């Protein structure tokens, strides 16, 4: 009788733990959804901002690179806080700052005011995203589960990236202010903050290492951290080129598929999201490094054909590239984090996020500068095509040489590995 009661209590406790983990997973997915609504809508906002404030392409690019720089600095300098003071504290702090920044869009209407708020929101995203990435490691029992969960979370990011540009397009079509997107994001984020406060996160023992603001930066000396950081930077520069500058490139399109050109970014994000939700099935059929090599080859083909064929080809192939980009970021990010023990996941996530943000900031900025210099944004896409070639080369070298295989296996065996 006593044994039966004990077993029942254990089963009840296990069910409660599973519900807790499920709630935390959904909360993490929703966080990625809401910040994607704003960060990935910038490509649709930039043409409106250029007209509203009479800006050059280089000046308008600040709407993208300023928050990206702040995301990177936040991840680099504050990412280790997720390891030292805990995931929940960092996540809630980031959500609170992000909520306030979004709501503040209602209290000003100048370019510099908006730019400042975007910088603050970037700081907040860097905080709660590093906390969330470290948290994914806490709730993933092994390398494979971590990879699948990361793709699922990034799938919700993809849904937010669809919703954001679509909402901005609808706001503009009804002659409403595009800043209302940020007010909506602030409202949703405020609700998430309240939910985060009520959730019980998995137990976490803070890292015993000395608190160091440069902990993430010091990881650059590790060849695995540096290698995955470079790979992720190349990928991000290629991806961001599409959703920041493709709407501007397609303004010169005069063909019969105007509807396709108008919704090119939405189609890109839909295909990218679809691929991420299919990731679990794809990864069960093919080895992850081979998938990345094949997909990066397809991305390069889309770029090269679009540059050779002009906007009549780009209107089809650039949105299609989203399908092949789908698994690239979450898988590279996951494997990079999985090369390290859980106690370092916040710092590693911060480093990878810094390279992500750096590439997302510098890539479109350089494209804008090149486009201004030659008088057409198409020349900026030539630069992005070169980076796509470098990414493809890196992915095939990774497939053939498998430099991280032993490190990933060792972390799995130690029980402290976290892979996306």
């Amino acid at each position: 009788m006593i044994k039966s009661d004990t077993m029942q209590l254990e089963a009840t406790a296990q069910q409660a733990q599973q519900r807790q983990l499920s709630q935390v997973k959904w909360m993490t997915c929703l966080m990625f959804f809401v910040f994607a609504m704003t960060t990935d809508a910038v490509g649709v906002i930039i043409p409106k901002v250029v007209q509203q404030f009479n800006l050059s392409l280089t000046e308008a690019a600040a709407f993208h690179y300023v928050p990206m720089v702040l995301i990177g600095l936040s991840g680099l300098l504050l990412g280790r806080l997720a390891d030292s003071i805990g995931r929940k504290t960092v996540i809630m702090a980031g959500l609170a700052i992000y909520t306030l920044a979004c709501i503040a869009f209602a209290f000003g209407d100048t370019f510099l005011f908006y730019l400042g708020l975007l910088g603050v929101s970037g700081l907040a995203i860097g905080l709660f995203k590093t906390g969330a990435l470290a948290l994914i490691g806490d709730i993933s029992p092994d390398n494979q589960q971590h990879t699948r969960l990361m793709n699922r979370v990034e799938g919700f990011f993809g849904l937010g990236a669809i919703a954001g540009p679509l909402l901005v397009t609808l706001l503009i079509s009804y002659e409403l202010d595009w800043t209302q997107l940020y007010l909506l994001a602030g409202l949703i984020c405020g609700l998430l903050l309240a939910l985060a406060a009520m959730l019980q996160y998995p137990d976490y023992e803070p890292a015993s290492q000395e608190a160091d603001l440069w902990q993430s930066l010091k990881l650059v000396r590790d060849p695995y951290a540096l290698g995955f950081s470079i790979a992720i930077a190349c990928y991000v520069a290629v991806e961001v080129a599409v959703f920041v500058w493709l709407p501007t490139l397609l303004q010169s399109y005069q063909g019969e598929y105007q509807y396709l050109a108008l919704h090119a970014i939405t189609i890109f994000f839909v295909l990218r999201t679809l691929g991420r939700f299919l990731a679990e099935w794809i990864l069960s059929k093919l080895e992850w490094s081979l998938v990345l090599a094949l997909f990066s080859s397809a991305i390069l083909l889309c770029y090269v054909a679009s540059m050779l064929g002009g906007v009549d080809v780009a209107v089809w192939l650039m949105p299609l590239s989203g399908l092949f980009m789908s698994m690239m970021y979450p898988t590279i990010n996951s494997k990079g984090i999985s090369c390290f023990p859980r106690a370092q996941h916040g710092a590693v996530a911060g480093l990878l996020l810094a390279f992500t943000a750096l590439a997302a900031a510098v890539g479109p900025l350089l494209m804008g500068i090149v486009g201004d210099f030659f008088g057409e944004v198409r020349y900026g896409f030539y630069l992005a095509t070169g980076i796509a070639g470098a990414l493809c080369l890196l992915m095939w070298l990774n497939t053939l040489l498998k430099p991280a295989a032993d490190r990933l296996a060792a972390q799995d065996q130690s029980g402290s590995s976290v892979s996306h």
Side-chain angles (χ1 to χ4, degrees):
M1 183 68 178
I2 295 176
K3 184 177 180 180
S4 176
D5 290 342
T6 301
M7 293 177 61
Q8 186 174 3
L9 287 173
E10 290 177 352
T12 302
Q14 187 175 13
Q15 290 174 358
Q17 184 180 32
Q18 290 300 319
R19 284 196 300 270
Q20 172 190 325
L21 291 178
S22 178
Q23 290 169 352
V24 171
K25 288 178 182 179
W26 279 108
M27 177 70 188
T28 306
C29 290
L30 291 174
M31 282 192 294
F32 274 65
F33 172 87
V34 70
F35 88 79
M37 284 177 57
T38 56
T39 57
D40 282 23
V42 69
V44 183
I45 292 173
I46 281 180
K48 185 67 176 178
V49 170
V50 168
Q51 179 184 11
Q52 183 177 351
F53 297 107
N54 192 26
L55 305 173
S56 68
L57 293 178
T58 304
E59 291 170 333
F63 252 51
H64 181 75
Y65 72 73
V66 165
M68 290 298 109
V69 167
L70 267 295
I71 289 174
L73 290 175
S74 179
L76 192 62
L77 300 179
L78 304 178
R80 55 95 197 178
L81 291 177
D83 297 328
S84 60
I85 65 175
R87 322 311 196 192
K88 184 173 183 177
T89 302
V90 169
I91 288 172
M92 290 188 63
L95 288 175
I97 297 171
Y98 185 77
T99 300
L100 293 174
C102 288
I103 293 174
F105 271 85
F107 300 99
D109 59 358
T110 67
F111 175 70
L112 290 179
F113 179 77
Y114 291 151
L115 197 59
L117 292 179
L118 289 175
V120 174
S121 69
L123 173 67
I125 289 171
L127 273 174
F128 72 70
K129 187 171 182 180
T130 51
L133 290 174
L135 177 65
I136 290 173
D138 297 342
I139 60 180
S140 300
D142 55 45
N143 185 292
Q144 297 301 321
Q145 292 297 323
H146 190 282
T147 301
R148 293 168 184 171
L149 179 57
M150 179 57 74
N151 274 278
R152 186 193 313 170
V153 167
E154 290 289 349
F156 276 84
F157 179 95
L159 291 176
I162 296 169
L166 181 59
L167 286 171
V168 172
T169 302
L170 289 174
L171 288 170
I172 293 173
S173 67
Y174 284 99
E175 299 183 351
L176 297 173
D177 199 322
W178 55 267
T179 59
Q180 293 188 33
L181 171 71
Y182 290 89
L183 300 180
L184 176 61
L187 175 63
I188 297 173
C189 202
L191 295 174
L192 290 180
L193 179 60
L195 290 174
M198 293 185 291
L199 282 181
Q200 182 180 355
Y201 280 39
D203 293 334
Y204 172 73
E205 183 175 345
S208 58
Q209 63 194 22
E210 180 183 352
D212 185 350
L213 286 175
W214 302 101
Q215 186 65 39
S216 293
L217 188 58
K218 288 180 178 179
L219 285 169
V220 171
R221 293 177 296 188
D222 186 292
Y224 296 95
L226 180 60
F228 279 105
S229 295
I230 292 172
I232 215 164
C234 288
Y235 166 73
V236 169
V238 172
E239 180 199 71
V240 174
V242 177
F243 69 77
V244 172
W245 290 120
L246 184 59
T248 305
L249 177 70
L250 295 182
Q251 284 182 335
S252 63
Y253 177 72
Q254 300 296 325
E256 60 180 305
Y257 302 103
Q258 291 294 330
Y259 182 85
L260 180 62
L262 179 64
H263 297 284
I265 295 301
T266 300
I267 295 170
F268 170 82
F269 286 139
V270 167
L271 292 176
R272 190 184 67 172
T273 302
L274 178 63
R276 285 176 177 172
F277 284 119
L278 290 173
E280 185 171 352
W281 178 80
I282 294 173
L283 289 171
S284 70
K285 302 296 181 182
L286 296 172
E287 200 267 336
W288 69 271
S289 62
L290 178 60
V291 173
L292 297 188
L294 293 173
F295 280 22
S296 64
S297 300
I299 294 167
L300 178 60
L301 180 61
C302 288
Y303 262 91
V304 171
S306 295
M307 294 305 98
L308 294 176
V311 292
D312 289 337
V313 175
V315 74
W316 293 95
L317 291 188
M318 295 310 288
L320 177 63
S321 69
L323 182 62
F324 306 114
M325 292 186 188
S326 58
M327 288 175 53
M328 298 292 294
Y329 182 81
T331 304
I332 295 173
N333 199 24
S334 167
K335 299 304 178 185
I337 295 175
S338 298
C339 285
F340 296 85
R342 282 197 176 106
Q344 289 184 285
H345 280 180
V348 178
L351 178 65
L352 292 172
L353 184 58
F355 273 81
T356 296
L358 178 65
V362 174
L365 175 60
L366 291 178
M367 289 179 67
I369 292 172
V370 171
D372 281 337
F373 183 81
F374 289 101
E376 191 176 345
V377 73
R378 172 169 56 94
Y379 291 92
F381 274 92
Y382 291 154
L383 173 63
T385 302
I387 299 174
L391 173 67
C392 184
L393 176 61
L394 285 174
M395 293 300 98
W396 277 108
L397 288 175
N398 178 61
T399 300
L400 297 173
L401 302 178
K402 300 188 184 304
D406 291 342
R407 181 78 167 256
L408 289 169
Q411 288 299 324
D412 266 345
Q413 290 174 2
S414 70
S416 59
S417 165
V418 183
S419 167
H420 283 11

